[in-house]
Amino acid sequence: MSRETYLFTSESVSEGHPDKVADQISDAILDEFLRRDPESKVACETFCTRGSVIVMGEVHSEAYVDIQKTVRSTIARIGYTDSNYMFDSNSCGVLSALNEQSSDIRQGVDREDPDNQGAGDQGMMFGYACTDTEEYMPLPLALSHLTLRILSDIRRNEPDLMPYLRPDAKCQYTVEYDAVTREPLRIHTIVLSTQHDEFTAPSLGRLSYGDACRKYGQERVDEAMHEEIERDIKEILLPRVVAAAGRKEAALFKGDWILHVNPTGKFVIGGPAGDTGLTGRKIIVDTYGGRGAHGGGAFSGKDPSKVDRSAAYMARYIAKNLVAAGAAREILVQLAYAIGVAEPVSVFVDTYGTAAKKADGSRLSDSEIASRIGDLFDLRPAAIIRKFSLKAPIYGPTASYGHFGRKPYTAEVKTFAGGEEKTVPARFFAWEECDAVEEVKSIFGL
């Protein structure tokens, strides 16, 4: 009897994708405000297109931030430093339209007792974790992120390997799953689109692109260019991906996958010159690749008083620790808030029928898990901010390759709070820590 299976697909985009350029600018601006005033309230949106960047939003802060400098340095760091890209850090126009934050919103957040700080907005936030990978992330998204991080590393640090690479890229993995166990079985399809220079493939000789087109015709030159890129993806990039993947994940590359590289045949015009970018338009890339659920709120450019961001981090932390503790193989956690109110209005859990048995032999129920979450975790915004040290300038690295599934670490950051420059340690991706596992096991009798 044949095994019943299904396919699931997720995508990621590189730091040079126009929407991710916008996210990184917004989070860079947020970091600069927090660097100077940790109490800053920021809701920053960025729009970028060919030759132009517009920064919009609301800010309440004692700090001054050089928006022009922050925008241009972020674009340069991403790699848009060549005028041939039709969007570069030195020549693009930068318009700032940041306004003062609404006092109506602020009075709902600020409290005499800081621990009773209200949520910065209403809404529902989701966290998700599963056993697909060692990081408790869905496999299609994890592999999409990994592939593009390795491609970016080649572009930045080994340019001779694939000298034609430009910053914009997209990757998509389709994974085949067992329909009963929901376990991944194999890699089914890989789609990779990477921006590139116009160049002449070595098979056509050492001619400029223009001369090669005049000699052989553009169609033949472009076809050879595409073949060269596809060969490099097969022989350079994908072997590195398999080597970098975990042992369990690497075993799913069985050699029979379908591969699509730059399916249109050519991808020279990219980045904000090829498509406009907007903050918050890649929320599925930022989270779980379409697995679980999403409340609709974006993260980048928002200070942690916005529960769109901070409560989503807490929901992920709860889901990850529950799965790591063995409470279930797959868990979705929803937290919902009312603006100006500290405690969540609801907590929801779905284990998709994968909840574990307790030591006494009875099986955990979703409602039991949900009812005990408030005993395990302080869900007030102020407590979340304090637990993960979210008032530090830590958000730049979150703005590309996902907010979840990342390795937590501590690094030195510069701050100017109080007018004095200091270097202090800051925690990055603290919501990815699995430091509540033993407590979860104890409270649920696992």
Side-chain angles (χ1 to χ4, degrees):
M1 184 176 179
S2 63
R3 172 185 280 178
E4 185 180 353
T5 65
Y6 66 90
L7 303 177
F8 193 85
T9 301
S10 296
E11 72 157 352
S12 180
V13 298
S14 73
E15 73 263 35
H17 185 281
D19 293 330
K20 278 291 145 198
V21 173
D23 283 344
Q24 289 167 93
I25 291 172
S26 292
D27 270 337
I29 290 170
L30 169 63
D31 278 345
E32 291 307 312
F33 274 106
L34 293 176
R35 206 182 301 280
R36 291 158 175 80
D37 176 10
E39 301 302 324
S40 295
K41 300 297 185 288
V42 180
C44 177
E45 313 281 350
T46 301
F47 172 88
C48 54
T49 187
R50 182 177 301 197
S52 299
V53 174
I54 302 174
V55 177
M56 306 155 284
E58 299 78 43
V59 174
H60 179 74
S61 178
E62 298 299 319
Y64 167 77
V65 170
D66 187 333
I67 301 298
Q68 286 263 346
K69 180 180 178 181
T70 303
V71 169
R72 295 187 189 282
S73 64
T74 303
I75 294 170
R77 178 187 56 75
I78 293 168
Y80 287 109
T81 55
D82 188 332
S83 61
N84 289 322
Y85 298 166
M86 294 177 284
F87 180 82
D88 75 277
S89 59
N90 289 323
S91 65
C92 69
V94 178
L95 173 64
S96 175
L98 291 172
N99 302 303
E100 177 71 13
Q101 184 194 42
S102 164
S103 59
D104 293 345
I105 293 176
R106 193 160 60 251
Q107 73 177 2
V109 174
D110 295 336
R111 289 287 189 269
E112 186 175 337
D113 179 358
D115 281 348
N116 290 324
Q117 167 185 323
D121 200 354
Q122 70 175 46
M124 63 283 192
M125 300 81 210
F126 289 92
Y128 176 84
C130 65
T131 56
D132 278 12
T133 70
E134 294 177 358
E135 300 80 23
Y136 302 101
M137 287 292 288
L139 182 61
L141 181 65
L143 290 175
S144 297
H145 285 326
L146 176 63
T147 301
L148 290 181
R149 287 201 304 269
I150 293 174
L151 186 70
S152 176
D153 184 66
I154 292 171
R155 174 173 64 88
R156 293 175 180 279
N157 300 315
E158 298 180 86
D160 291 344
L161 278 180
M162 300 171 72
Y164 47 79
L165 291 176
R166 291 184 176 183
D168 195 0
K170 301 179 76 172
C171 184
Q172 182 174 286
Y173 273 76
T174 300
V175 174
E176 184 176 6
Y177 284 83
D178 185 294
V180 177
T181 66
R182 296 171 69 89
E183 292 292 320
L185 300 175
R186 69 183 182 100
I187 307 306
H188 182 277
T189 301
I190 304 170
V191 181
L192 183 79
S193 296
T194 181
Q195 187 188 13
H196 57 87
D197 295 335
E198 283 184 317
F199 67 94
T200 304
S203 60
L204 297 182
R206 297 180 176 276
L207 298 173
S208 69
Y209 179 79
D211 288 343
C213 287
R214 283 187 284 272
K215 181 175 181 179
Y216 299 109
Q218 184 175 346
E219 184 176 350
R220 183 179 173 189
V221 174
D222 286 353
E223 183 177 319
M225 179 170 60
H226 181 267
E227 290 173 354
E228 180 75 11
I229 296 170
E230 185 169 14
R231 182 163 46 250
D232 287 347
I233 297 302
K234 290 179 179 177
E235 298 179 1
I236 298 173
L237 177 64
L238 290 180
R240 293 189 178 203
V241 172
V242 175
R247 183 173 57 86
K248 183 174 72 171
E249 294 90 330
L252 300 177
F253 287 85
K254 301 181 185 297
D256 58 349
W257 64 79
I258 301 165
L259 177 65
H260 297 287
V261 176
N262 286 0
T264 67
K266 191 173 181 179
F267 185 11
V268 173
I269 302 171
D275 192 7
T276 57
L278 186 65
T279 299
R281 207 159 53 183
K282 283 291 174 282
I283 57 176
I284 299 304
V285 171
D286 285 343
T287 52
Y288 308 105
R291 289 277 285 272
H294 199 294
F299 301 155
S300 290
K302 295 178 181 177
D303 75 87
S305 71
K306 280 75 173 175
V307 285
D308 276 349
R309 184 167 214 159
S310 53
Y313 291 169
M314 175 53 86
R316 161 62 178 175
Y317 173 77
I318 294 168
K320 184 176 183 180
N321 276 269
L322 287 168
V323 172
R329 297 195 310 275
E330 183 178 10
I331 290 182
L332 180 73
V333 175
Q334 184 202 58
L335 305 176
Y337 290 83
I339 188 169
V341 179
E343 295 288 350
V345 299
S346 70
V347 178
F348 168 82
V349 168
D350 187 354
T351 63
Y352 304 93
T354 69
K357 288 185 178 180
K358 296 182 286 186
D360 63 8
S362 62
R363 188 173 296 277
L364 279 170
S365 69
D366 294 354
S367 60
E368 180 183 359
I369 297 172
S371 68
R372 303 301 297 273
I373 281 177
D375 300 330
L376 278 164
F377 308 100
D378 192 337
L379 304 177
R380 296 173 298 169
I384 296 171
I385 291 168
R386 184 167 54 248
K387 178 170 181 57
F388 301 136
S389 306
L390 296 181
K391 290 184 180 180
I394 58 170
Y395 296 102
T398 70
S400 53
Y401 307 115
H403 294 244
F404 307 122
R406 309 288 291 274
K407 186 175 181 179
Y409 63 93
T410 299
E412 299 290 315
V413 298
K414 284 185 178 180
T415 71
F416 304 93
E420 178 185 356
E421 181 177 339
K422 293 187 293 186
T423 302
V424 299
R427 298 162 64 209
F428 291 77
F429 300 102
W431 50 92
E432 288 296 311
E433 294 172 355
C434 285
D435 55 4
V437 169
E438 294 307 316
E439 193 174 359
V440 169
K441 288 181 176 179
S442 175
I443 201 169
F444 288 119
L446 299 172

